[in-house]
Amino acid sequence: QKEVEQDPGPLSVPEGAIVSLNCTYSNSAFQYFMWYRQYSRKGPELLMYTYSSGNKEDGRFTAQVDKSSKYISLFIRDSQPSDSATYLCATLNRDDKIIFGKGTRLHILP
Amino acid sequence: DTGVSQNPRHKITKRGQNVTFRCDPISEHNRLYWYRQTLGQGPEFLTYFQNEAQLEKSRLLSDRFSAERPKGSFSTLEIQRTEQGDSAMYLCASSFPGELYEQYFGPGTRLTVT
């Protein structure tokens, strides 16, 4: 089992909709969880990170971690065409290395 | 500009040639990381430095790959005798040592080996 699993999509939603992006992870010892956004042919950009369980909100973005089910989510409210990108979930493993999911390609349709 | 920069942005080379990439991290960050990303995959860890010391190398980093950070500032990644399988995006990131989860990435160098 891979340490972080993520559906590659693509996921297409109409502008203004709420987007839900999800990942699962394998090791209950993981404590830090990150979401990166990557535009085509660019480097990943850190959106937000969370520690342990719970929610964290930043503007239109909310990150959620459910440690009981080893599930990570990112919600985007009032989605915009400029949100179209690949979203990478990631965690810090026991060796202090960032392990990334494959990324989900998101298309926001105007 | 206080972000991570990488040069060149694109490199096309013939199989068997050597290539070198450069990364300039955020100046206050003393940790520097190299990753490789292929199409449809997330970045994969290659190696990292704390100041000028290379502390870890991934099994992905064959002996054709070498990385340096001579003065604890910029870093170079060299690939000798390139192979077509080396075609990928090479990403550099930097962080503070106490904030390993908060890495900031450069724009990457896209390598195409023909």
Side-chain angles (χ1 to χ4, degrees), chain B residues 3 7 10 21 23 25 28 32 38-39 41 43 49 51 61 69 76 80 82 84 92-93 95-96 101 108-110:
Chain B
N7 287 289
H10 305 276
F21 311 140
C23 170
E28 302 85 21
L32 185 149
T38 54
L39 198 62
Q41 303 294 321
F49 293 83
N51 299 313
L61 211 65
R69 195 182 182 196
T76 57
Q80 296 182 326
T82 52
Q84 286 188 320
C92 175
S95 77
F96 288 114
Y101 47 85
T109 295
R110 182 170 296 279

Side-chain angles (χ1 to χ4, degrees), chain A residues 6 20-21 31 34 47 57 60 63 69-70 90 102-103 109:
Chain A
Q6 185 175 13
S20 172
L21 302 167
Q31 295 278 41
M34 294 75 78
L47 283 176
E57 189 173 319
R60 296 184 296 111
S69 58
K70 291 187 274 189
K102 289 187 174 184
L109 307 170

